[in-house]
PDB file of all heavy atoms in Angstrom:
ATOM      1  N   ARG A1162     -11.610  24.042  26.354  1.00 88.00           N
ATOM      2  CA  ARG A1162     -11.832  24.568  25.012  1.00 88.00           C
ATOM      3  C   ARG A1162     -11.022  23.750  24.005  1.00 88.00           C
ATOM      4  O   ARG A1162      -9.846  23.481  24.206  1.00 88.00           O
ATOM      5  CB  ARG A1162     -11.412  26.027  24.939  1.00 88.00           C
ATOM      6  CG  ARG A1162     -11.653  26.640  23.548  1.00 88.00           C
ATOM      7  CD  ARG A1162     -10.951  27.968  23.373  1.00 88.00           C
ATOM      8  NE  ARG A1162     -11.445  28.982  24.283  1.00 88.00           N
ATOM      9  CZ  ARG A1162     -11.013  30.236  24.260  1.00 88.00           C
ATOM     10  NH1 ARG A1162     -10.066  30.611  23.423  1.00 88.00           N
ATOM     11  NH2 ARG A1162     -11.504  31.116  25.112  1.00 88.00           N
ATOM     12  N   PHE A1163     -11.680  23.350  22.925  1.00 87.00           N
ATOM     13  CA  PHE A1163     -10.983  22.554  21.909  1.00 87.00           C
ATOM     14  C   PHE A1163     -10.028  23.451  21.117  1.00 87.00           C
ATOM     15  O   PHE A1163     -10.428  24.504  20.615  1.00 87.00           O
ATOM     16  CB  PHE A1163     -11.980  21.904  20.943  1.00 87.00           C
ATOM     17  CG  PHE A1163     -11.310  20.982  19.964  1.00 87.00           C
ATOM     18  CD1 PHE A1163     -11.100  19.656  20.278  1.00 87.00           C
ATOM     19  CD2 PHE A1163     -10.867  21.451  18.729  1.00 87.00           C
ATOM     20  CE1 PHE A1163     -10.472  18.803  19.386  1.00 87.00           C
ATOM     21  CE2 PHE A1163     -10.230  20.618  17.840  1.00 87.00           C
ATOM     22  CZ  PHE A1163     -10.035  19.289  18.175  1.00 87.00           C
ATOM     23  N   ARG A1164      -8.784  23.036  21.042  1.00 84.00           N
ATOM     24  CA  ARG A1164      -7.766  23.785  20.315  1.00 84.00           C
ATOM     25  C   ARG A1164      -7.064  22.857  19.342  1.00 84.00           C
ATOM     26  O   ARG A1164      -6.649  21.765  19.707  1.00 84.00           O
ATOM     27  CB  ARG A1164      -6.743  24.392  21.274  1.00 84.00           C
ATOM     28  CG  ARG A1164      -7.305  25.408  22.261  1.00 84.00           C
ATOM     29  CD  ARG A1164      -6.212  25.904  23.200  1.00 84.00           C
ATOM     30  NE  ARG A1164      -6.700  26.855  24.184  1.00 84.00           N
ATOM     31  CZ  ARG A1164      -6.758  28.168  24.004  1.00 84.00           C
ATOM     32  NH1 ARG A1164      -6.365  28.685  22.857  1.00 84.00           N
ATOM     33  NH2 ARG A1164      -7.203  28.963  24.944  1.00 84.00           N
ATOM     34  N   GLU A1165      -6.919  23.309  18.128  1.00 83.00           N
ATOM     35  CA  GLU A1165      -6.145  22.547  17.161  1.00 83.00           C
ATOM     36  C   GLU A1165      -4.659  22.653  17.505  1.00 83.00           C
ATOM     37  O   GLU A1165      -4.208  23.665  18.038  1.00 83.00           O
ATOM     38  CB  GLU A1165      -6.374  23.082  15.738  1.00 83.00           C
ATOM     39  CG  GLU A1165      -7.787  22.897  15.221  1.00 83.00           C
ATOM     40  CD  GLU A1165      -8.113  21.448  14.898  1.00 83.00           C
ATOM     41  OE1 GLU A1165      -7.197  20.609  14.940  1.00 83.00           O
ATOM     42  OE2 GLU A1165      -9.286  21.164  14.608  1.00 83.00           O
ATOM     43  N   VAL A1166      -3.929  21.606  17.221  1.00 86.00           N
ATOM     44  CA  VAL A1166      -2.479  21.616  17.411  1.00 86.00           C
ATOM     45  C   VAL A1166      -1.839  21.927  16.059  1.00 86.00           C
ATOM     46  O   VAL A1166      -1.879  21.111  15.139  1.00 86.00           O
ATOM     47  CB  VAL A1166      -1.983  20.252  17.927  1.00 86.00           C
ATOM     48  CG1 VAL A1166      -0.458  20.230  18.021  1.00 86.00           C
ATOM     49  CG2 VAL A1166      -2.606  19.942  19.282  1.00 86.00           C
ATOM     50  N   PRO A1167      -1.281  23.121  15.883  1.00 85.00           N
ATOM     51  CA  PRO A1167      -0.737  23.487  14.567  1.00 85.00           C
ATOM     52  C   PRO A1167       0.528  22.715  14.209  1.00 85.00           C
ATOM     53  O   PRO A1167       0.774  22.459  13.035  1.00 85.00           O
ATOM     54  CB  PRO A1167      -0.451  24.989  14.702  1.00 85.00           C
ATOM     55  CG  PRO A1167      -0.275  25.209  16.162  1.00 85.00           C
ATOM     56  CD  PRO A1167      -1.168  24.231  16.846  1.00 85.00           C
ATOM     57  N   LEU A1168       1.330  22.346  15.207  1.00 92.00           N
ATOM     58  CA  LEU A1168       2.554  21.588  14.948  1.00 92.00           C
ATOM     59  C   LEU A1168       2.211  20.103  15.057  1.00 92.00           C
ATOM     60  O   LEU A1168       2.603  19.395  15.988  1.00 92.00           O
ATOM     61  CB  LEU A1168       3.638  21.988  15.952  1.00 92.00           C
ATOM     62  CG  LEU A1168       3.894  23.496  16.069  1.00 92.00           C
ATOM     63  CD1 LEU A1168       4.994  23.786  17.081  1.00 92.00           C
ATOM     64  CD2 LEU A1168       4.252  24.099  14.716  1.00 92.00           C
ATOM     65  N   VAL A1169       1.464  19.619  14.045  1.00 93.00           N
ATOM     66  CA  VAL A1169       0.812  18.315  14.169  1.00 93.00           C
ATOM     67  C   VAL A1169       1.795  17.174  14.376  1.00 93.00           C
ATOM     68  O   VAL A1169       1.522  16.233  15.127  1.00 93.00           O
ATOM     69  CB  VAL A1169      -0.085  18.028  12.943  1.00 93.00           C
ATOM     70  CG1 VAL A1169      -1.291  18.937  12.933  1.00 93.00           C
ATOM     71  CG2 VAL A1169       0.704  18.153  11.644  1.00 93.00           C
ATOM     72  N   ALA A1170       2.954  17.215  13.726  1.00 96.00           N
ATOM     73  CA  ALA A1170       3.914  16.118  13.860  1.00 96.00           C
ATOM     74  C   ALA A1170       4.480  16.032  15.260  1.00 96.00           C
ATOM     75  O   ALA A1170       5.063  15.010  15.646  1.00 96.00           O
ATOM     76  CB  ALA A1170       5.049  16.286  12.854  1.00 96.00           C
ATOM     77  N   ALA A1171       4.305  17.091  16.043  1.00 95.00           N
ATOM     78  CA  ALA A1171       4.812  17.112  17.420  1.00 95.00           C
ATOM     79  C   ALA A1171       3.751  16.748  18.438  1.00 95.00           C
ATOM     80  O   ALA A1171       4.090  16.422  19.582  1.00 95.00           O
ATOM     81  CB  ALA A1171       5.373  18.493  17.753  1.00 95.00           C
ATOM     82  N   GLY A1172       2.449  16.778  18.077  1.00 95.00           N
ATOM     83  CA  GLY A1172       1.445  16.518  19.104  1.00 95.00           C
ATOM     84  C   GLY A1172       0.024  16.374  18.626  1.00 95.00           C
ATOM     85  O   GLY A1172      -0.901  16.561  19.416  1.00 95.00           O
ATOM     86  N   GLY A1173      -0.205  16.019  17.357  1.00 95.00           N
ATOM     87  CA  GLY A1173      -1.554  16.063  16.825  1.00 95.00           C
ATOM     88  C   GLY A1173      -2.327  14.764  16.737  1.00 95.00           C
ATOM     89  O   GLY A1173      -3.482  14.763  16.317  1.00 95.00           O
ATOM     90  N   VAL A1174      -1.759  13.627  17.152  1.00 97.00           N
ATOM     91  CA  VAL A1174      -2.408  12.335  16.917  1.00 97.00           C
ATOM     92  C   VAL A1174      -3.576  12.097  17.877  1.00 97.00           C
ATOM     93  O   VAL A1174      -3.533  12.465  19.045  1.00 97.00           O
ATOM     94  CB  VAL A1174      -1.378  11.190  17.028  1.00 97.00           C
ATOM     95  CG1 VAL A1174      -2.062   9.835  17.170  1.00 97.00           C
ATOM     96  CG2 VAL A1174      -0.466  11.180  15.800  1.00 97.00           C
ATOM     97  N   TYR A1175      -4.626  11.461  17.338  1.00 98.00           N
ATOM     98  CA  TYR A1175      -5.758  10.940  18.096  1.00 98.00           C
ATOM     99  C   TYR A1175      -5.628   9.416  18.086  1.00 98.00           C
ATOM    100  O   TYR A1175      -5.349   8.829  17.041  1.00 98.00           O
ATOM    101  CB  TYR A1175      -7.083  11.314  17.439  1.00 98.00           C
ATOM    102  CG  TYR A1175      -7.343  12.791  17.283  1.00 98.00           C
ATOM    103  CD1 TYR A1175      -6.738  13.525  16.267  1.00 98.00           C
ATOM    104  CD2 TYR A1175      -8.221  13.452  18.138  1.00 98.00           C
ATOM    105  CE1 TYR A1175      -6.985  14.880  16.106  1.00 98.00           C
ATOM    106  CE2 TYR A1175      -8.481  14.810  17.987  1.00 98.00           C
ATOM    107  CZ  TYR A1175      -7.858  15.512  16.965  1.00 98.00           C
ATOM    108  OH  TYR A1175      -8.110  16.854  16.804  1.00 98.00           O
ATOM    109  N   SER A1176      -5.873   8.769  19.236  1.00 98.00           N
ATOM    110  CA  SER A1176      -5.741   7.315  19.246  1.00 98.00           C
ATOM    111  C   SER A1176      -6.543   6.711  20.388  1.00 98.00           C
ATOM    112  O   SER A1176      -7.152   7.418  21.198  1.00 98.00           O
ATOM    113  CB  SER A1176      -4.261   6.913  19.351  1.00 98.00           C
ATOM    114  OG  SER A1176      -4.094   5.530  19.084  1.00 98.00           O
ATOM    115  N   THR A1177      -6.514   5.384  20.459  1.00 98.00           N
ATOM    116  CA  THR A1177      -7.243   4.626  21.467  1.00 98.00           C
ATOM    117  C   THR A1177      -6.265   3.723  22.222  1.00 98.00           C
ATOM    118  O   THR A1177      -5.154   3.463  21.766  1.00 98.00           O
ATOM    119  CB  THR A1177      -8.316   3.739  20.826  1.00 98.00           C
ATOM    120  OG1 THR A1177      -7.660   2.692  20.071  1.00 98.00           O
ATOM    121  CG2 THR A1177      -9.217   4.536  19.877  1.00 98.00           C
ATOM    122  N   THR A1178      -6.721   3.213  23.343  1.00 98.00           N
ATOM    123  CA  THR A1178      -5.888   2.270  24.098  1.00 98.00           C
ATOM    124  C   THR A1178      -5.619   1.018  23.275  1.00 98.00           C
ATOM    125  O   THR A1178      -4.498   0.503  23.255  1.00 98.00           O
ATOM    126  CB  THR A1178      -6.567   1.878  25.418  1.00 98.00           C
ATOM    127  OG1 THR A1178      -7.099   3.042  26.037  1.00 98.00           O
ATOM    128  CG2 THR A1178      -5.601   1.192  26.358  1.00 98.00           C
ATOM    129  N   SER A1179      -6.641   0.514  22.588  1.00 97.00           N
ATOM    130  CA  SER A1179      -6.470  -0.693  21.777  1.00 97.00           C
ATOM    131  C   SER A1179      -5.435  -0.478  20.684  1.00 97.00           C
ATOM    132  O   SER A1179      -4.568  -1.332  20.444  1.00 97.00           O
ATOM    133  CB  SER A1179      -7.810  -1.113  21.162  1.00 97.00           C
ATOM    134  OG  SER A1179      -8.750  -1.427  22.170  1.00 97.00           O
ATOM    135  N   ASP A1180      -5.509   0.662  20.004  1.00 97.00           N
ATOM    136  CA  ASP A1180      -4.549   0.940  18.926  1.00 97.00           C
ATOM    137  C   ASP A1180      -3.140   1.146  19.471  1.00 97.00           C
ATOM    138  O   ASP A1180      -2.162   0.644  18.907  1.00 97.00           O
ATOM    139  CB  ASP A1180      -4.984   2.178  18.140  1.00 97.00           C
ATOM    140  CG  ASP A1180      -6.066   1.872  17.123  1.00 97.00           C
ATOM    141  OD1 ASP A1180      -6.528   0.711  17.087  1.00 97.00           O
ATOM    142  OD2 ASP A1180      -6.449   2.786  16.370  1.00 97.00           O
ATOM    143  N   LEU A1181      -3.027   1.888  20.568  1.00 98.00           N
ATOM    144  CA  LEU A1181      -1.696   2.124  21.132  1.00 98.00           C
ATOM    145  C   LEU A1181      -1.094   0.838  21.678  1.00 98.00           C
ATOM    146  O   LEU A1181       0.139   0.697  21.734  1.00 98.00           O
ATOM    147  CB  LEU A1181      -1.766   3.189  22.226  1.00 98.00           C
ATOM    148  CG  LEU A1181      -1.960   4.623  21.712  1.00 98.00           C
ATOM    149  CD1 LEU A1181      -2.132   5.588  22.883  1.00 98.00           C
ATOM    150  CD2 LEU A1181      -0.785   5.065  20.845  1.00 98.00           C
ATOM    151  N   ALA A1182      -1.935  -0.105  22.060  1.00 97.00           N
ATOM    152  CA  ALA A1182      -1.414  -1.406  22.476  1.00 97.00           C
ATOM    153  C   ALA A1182      -0.716  -2.097  21.301  1.00 97.00           C
ATOM    154  O   ALA A1182       0.325  -2.737  21.480  1.00 97.00           O
ATOM    155  CB  ALA A1182      -2.548  -2.284  23.011  1.00 97.00           C
ATOM    156  N   HIS A1183      -1.265  -1.975  20.086  1.00 96.00           N
ATOM    157  CA  HIS A1183      -0.595  -2.509  18.895  1.00 96.00           C
ATOM    158  C   HIS A1183       0.749  -1.830  18.689  1.00 96.00           C
ATOM    159  O   HIS A1183       1.756  -2.484  18.366  1.00 96.00           O
ATOM    160  CB  HIS A1183      -1.463  -2.297  17.648  1.00 96.00           C
ATOM    161  CG  HIS A1183      -2.734  -3.079  17.629  1.00 96.00           C
ATOM    162  ND1 HIS A1183      -2.801  -4.409  17.951  1.00 96.00           N
ATOM    163  CD2 HIS A1183      -4.005  -2.714  17.306  1.00 96.00           C
ATOM    164  CE1 HIS A1183      -4.055  -4.838  17.840  1.00 96.00           C
ATOM    165  NE2 HIS A1183      -4.804  -3.820  17.452  1.00 96.00           N
ATOM    166  N   TYR A1184       0.768  -0.523  18.874  1.00 97.00           N
ATOM    167  CA  TYR A1184       1.995   0.253  18.680  1.00 97.00           C
ATOM    168  C   TYR A1184       3.049  -0.143  19.704  1.00 97.00           C
ATOM    169  O   TYR A1184       4.213  -0.422  19.360  1.00 97.00           O
ATOM    170  CB  TYR A1184       1.653   1.739  18.797  1.00 97.00           C
ATOM    171  CG  TYR A1184       2.820   2.692  18.634  1.00 97.00           C
ATOM    172  CD1 TYR A1184       3.573   2.722  17.462  1.00 97.00           C
ATOM    173  CD2 TYR A1184       3.149   3.581  19.646  1.00 97.00           C
ATOM    174  CE1 TYR A1184       4.631   3.613  17.306  1.00 97.00           C
ATOM    175  CE2 TYR A1184       4.198   4.483  19.502  1.00 97.00           C
ATOM    176  CZ  TYR A1184       4.935   4.483  18.331  1.00 97.00           C
ATOM    177  OH  TYR A1184       5.981   5.373  18.182  1.00 97.00           O
ATOM    178  N   VAL A1185       2.661  -0.205  20.974  1.00 98.00           N
ATOM    179  CA  VAL A1185       3.600  -0.577  22.026  1.00 98.00           C
ATOM    180  C   VAL A1185       4.080  -2.017  21.837  1.00 98.00           C
ATOM    181  O   VAL A1185       5.262  -2.320  22.053  1.00 98.00           O
ATOM    182  CB  VAL A1185       2.940  -0.389  23.409  1.00 98.00           C
ATOM    183  CG1 VAL A1185       3.786  -1.012  24.514  1.00 98.00           C
ATOM    184  CG2 VAL A1185       2.726   1.098  23.689  1.00 98.00           C
ATOM    185  N   ALA A1186       3.187  -2.898  21.405  1.00 96.00           N
ATOM    186  CA  ALA A1186       3.588  -4.284  21.151  1.00 96.00           C
ATOM    187  C   ALA A1186       4.669  -4.350  20.079  1.00 96.00           C
ATOM    188  O   ALA A1186       5.635  -5.122  20.191  1.00 96.00           O
ATOM    189  CB  ALA A1186       2.375  -5.113  20.735  1.00 96.00           C
ATOM    190  N   ALA A1187       4.537  -3.527  19.044  1.00 97.00           N
ATOM    191  CA  ALA A1187       5.555  -3.493  17.986  1.00 97.00           C
ATOM    192  C   ALA A1187       6.879  -2.958  18.521  1.00 97.00           C
ATOM    193  O   ALA A1187       7.951  -3.468  18.176  1.00 97.00           O
ATOM    194  CB  ALA A1187       5.065  -2.643  16.818  1.00 97.00           C
ATOM    195  N   LEU A1188       6.819  -1.947  19.379  1.00 98.00           N
ATOM    196  CA  LEU A1188       8.040  -1.394  19.955  1.00 98.00           C
ATOM    197  C   LEU A1188       8.745  -2.412  20.844  1.00 98.00           C
ATOM    198  O   LEU A1188       9.970  -2.444  20.929  1.00 98.00           O
ATOM    199  CB  LEU A1188       7.713  -0.139  20.770  1.00 98.00           C
ATOM    200  CG  LEU A1188       7.129   1.049  20.007  1.00 98.00           C
ATOM    201  CD1 LEU A1188       6.809   2.195  20.973  1.00 98.00           C
ATOM    202  CD2 LEU A1188       8.062   1.539  18.913  1.00 98.00           C
ATOM    203  N   LEU A1189       7.963  -3.268  21.506  1.00 97.00           N
ATOM    204  CA  LEU A1189       8.546  -4.283  22.384  1.00 97.00           C
ATOM    205  C   LEU A1189       9.018  -5.512  21.619  1.00 97.00           C
ATOM    206  O   LEU A1189       9.755  -6.336  22.164  1.00 97.00           O
ATOM    207  CB  LEU A1189       7.519  -4.717  23.435  1.00 97.00           C
ATOM    208  CG  LEU A1189       7.161  -3.687  24.512  1.00 97.00           C
ATOM    209  CD1 LEU A1189       5.980  -4.171  25.347  1.00 97.00           C
ATOM    210  CD2 LEU A1189       8.355  -3.410  25.414  1.00 97.00           C
ATOM    211  N   SER A1190       8.582  -5.644  20.379  1.00 95.00           N
ATOM    212  CA  SER A1190       8.867  -6.855  19.591  1.00 95.00           C
ATOM    213  C   SER A1190       9.819  -6.587  18.435  1.00 95.00           C
ATOM    214  O   SER A1190       9.733  -7.244  17.388  1.00 95.00           O
ATOM    215  CB  SER A1190       7.553  -7.455  19.074  1.00 95.00           C
ATOM    216  OG  SER A1190       6.659  -7.711  20.136  1.00 95.00           O
ATOM    217  N   GLY A1191      10.675  -5.596  18.587  1.00 95.00           N
ATOM    218  CA  GLY A1191      11.663  -5.342  17.540  1.00 95.00           C
ATOM    219  C   GLY A1191      11.095  -4.705  16.292  1.00 95.00           C
ATOM    220  O   GLY A1191      11.664  -4.848  15.203  1.00 95.00           O
ATOM    221  N   GLY A1192       9.969  -4.003  16.418  1.00 96.00           N
ATOM    222  CA  GLY A1192       9.414  -3.270  15.281  1.00 96.00           C
ATOM    223  C   GLY A1192       8.328  -3.983  14.519  1.00 96.00           C
ATOM    224  O   GLY A1192       7.824  -3.460  13.522  1.00 96.00           O
ATOM    225  N   SER A1193       7.931  -5.162  14.953  1.00 90.00           N
ATOM    226  CA  SER A1193       6.883  -5.888  14.249  1.00 90.00           C
ATOM    227  C   SER A1193       5.748  -6.234  15.200  1.00 90.00           C
ATOM    228  O   SER A1193       5.940  -6.316  16.418  1.00 90.00           O
ATOM    229  CB  SER A1193       7.432  -7.172  13.624  1.00 90.00           C
ATOM    230  OG  SER A1193       7.858  -8.074  14.637  1.00 90.00           O
ATOM    231  N   ALA A1194       4.575  -6.445  14.629  1.00 78.00           N
ATOM    232  CA  ALA A1194       3.409  -6.864  15.389  1.00 78.00           C
ATOM    233  C   ALA A1194       2.604  -7.811  14.507  1.00 78.00           C
ATOM    234  O   ALA A1194       3.016  -8.148  13.396  1.00 78.00           O
ATOM    235  CB  ALA A1194       2.580  -5.663  15.821  1.00 78.00           C
ATOM    236  N   ALA A1195       1.444  -8.213  15.020  1.00 75.00           N
ATOM    237  CA  ALA A1195       0.643  -9.202  14.287  1.00 75.00           C
ATOM    238  C   ALA A1195       0.256  -8.717  12.905  1.00 75.00           C
ATOM    239  O   ALA A1195       0.099  -9.522  11.975  1.00 75.00           O
ATOM    240  CB  ALA A1195      -0.611  -9.531  15.100  1.00 75.00           C
ATOM    241  N   HIS A1196       0.126  -7.409  12.714  1.00 76.00           N
ATOM    242  CA  HIS A1196      -0.351  -6.866  11.437  1.00 76.00           C
ATOM    243  C   HIS A1196       0.776  -6.434  10.502  1.00 76.00           C
ATOM    244  O   HIS A1196       0.509  -6.066   9.359  1.00 76.00           O
ATOM    245  CB  HIS A1196      -1.290  -5.679  11.688  1.00 76.00           C
ATOM    246  CG  HIS A1196      -2.564  -6.060  12.388  1.00 76.00           C
ATOM    247  ND1 HIS A1196      -2.628  -6.217  13.757  1.00 76.00           N
ATOM    248  CD2 HIS A1196      -3.807  -6.306  11.912  1.00 76.00           C
ATOM    249  CE1 HIS A1196      -3.873  -6.543  14.095  1.00 76.00           C
ATOM    250  NE2 HIS A1196      -4.598  -6.600  13.007  1.00 76.00           N
ATOM    251  N   GLY A1197       2.009  -6.414  10.982  1.00 83.00           N
ATOM    252  CA  GLY A1197       3.086  -5.995  10.075  1.00 83.00           C
ATOM    253  C   GLY A1197       4.278  -5.447  10.820  1.00 83.00           C
ATOM    254  O   GLY A1197       4.310  -5.406  12.054  1.00 83.00           O
TER     255      GLY A1197
END
């Protein structure tokens, strides 16, 4: 059953593997990635 997460800052994000790869790359590279 689809349930909204009311405490959105704690668990509400939707994402993809491709996007999270950008995020993880930034975390591994001192906070920066190809886009900023």
Side-chain angles (χ1 to χ4, degrees):
R1162 181 193 297 183
F1163 185 88
R1164 298 178 181 271
E1165 294 288 352
V1166 176
L1168 308 180
V1169 291
V1174 164
Y1175 301 78
S1176 192
T1177 68
T1178 316
S1179 298
D1180 280 4
L1181 286 175
H1183 293 314
Y1184 179 60
V1185 169
L1188 297 178
L1189 290 171
S1190 304
S1193 65
H1196 295 82

